[in-house]
Amino acid sequence: MKSIVLFLVGLFIGAFATVAGISALRQGTPYNDAVMSVLGQQMGAFKGMGESGKCDMPDVLRRLTLMQAVAGEVDAAFLPVGDDAKFSQLSRDLGDALSKASATVAGQLAASTASCETLAQVMPDVGGTCKGCHDVFR
């Protein structure tokens, strides 16, 4: 009888430890949260630059380039969502807005005319595409 009780206690402890271990391995930042965190962080940085009037335009271009790369992962991070075609279109719209913003900033950097006004010019389109997707899928 004593050995049966010890066996059951050992079995219970082993099962509990296994569940705890698997749970620990599954924890972490889900990919979709990570993608949105990076995009949100960059948008916050742009907002801060605009509010302070201190726009380091090479940094703006670097951040836009990073956002373009991360935006390319939005479909992989979120699909399927139900209306996949609509989501993919909005995802492409974000990529297009970021490409256009990057081209504008790069062109004005090359012409030495880039400034906070450049950032103010390109961000409504980028922010609008973010908002458009959030309005539909959030």
Side-chain angles (χ1 to χ4, degrees), residues 14-62:
F16 180 75
T18 301
V19 169
I22 290 171
S23 176
L25 291 173
R26 287 188 180 168
Q27 288 182 353
T29 303
Y31 192 52
N32 57 352
D33 288 346
V35 167
M36 285 296 110
S37 291
V38 171
L39 293 174
Q41 178 67 29
Q42 301 314 310
M43 290 298 288
F46 292 140
K47 182 179 179 186
M49 287 180 195
E51 288 173 353
S52 71
K54 297 178 183 175
C55 301
D56 177 11
M57 295 313 288
D59 186 46
V60 168
L61 184 58
R62 181 188 63 78

Side-chain angles (χ1 to χ4, degrees), residues 107-130:
Q108 290 192 13
L109 268 173
S112 299
T113 58
S115 65
C116 281
E117 287 78 29
T118 305
L119 182 62
Q121 173 189 353
V122 300
M123 290 317 294
D125 191 29
V126 173
T129 58
C130 291

Side-chain angles (χ1 to χ4, degrees), residues 53-116:
K54 297 178 183 175
C55 301
D56 177 11
M57 295 313 288
D59 186 46
V60 168
L61 184 58
R62 181 188 63 78
R63 289 176 184 275
L64 286 169
T65 302
L66 172 63
M67 287 182 74
Q68 278 182 279
V70 173
E73 294 297 308
V74 169
D75 282 355
F78 287 94
L79 291 180
V81 294
D83 188 353
D84 293 353
K86 177 72 172 171
F87 187 88
S88 292
Q89 180 59 53
L90 292 169
S91 175
R92 283 191 299 277
D93 292 347
L94 175 61
D96 293 346
L98 288 165
S99 293
K100 183 179 171 187
S102 293
T104 299
V105 170
Q108 290 192 13
L109 268 173
S112 299
T113 58
S115 65
C116 281

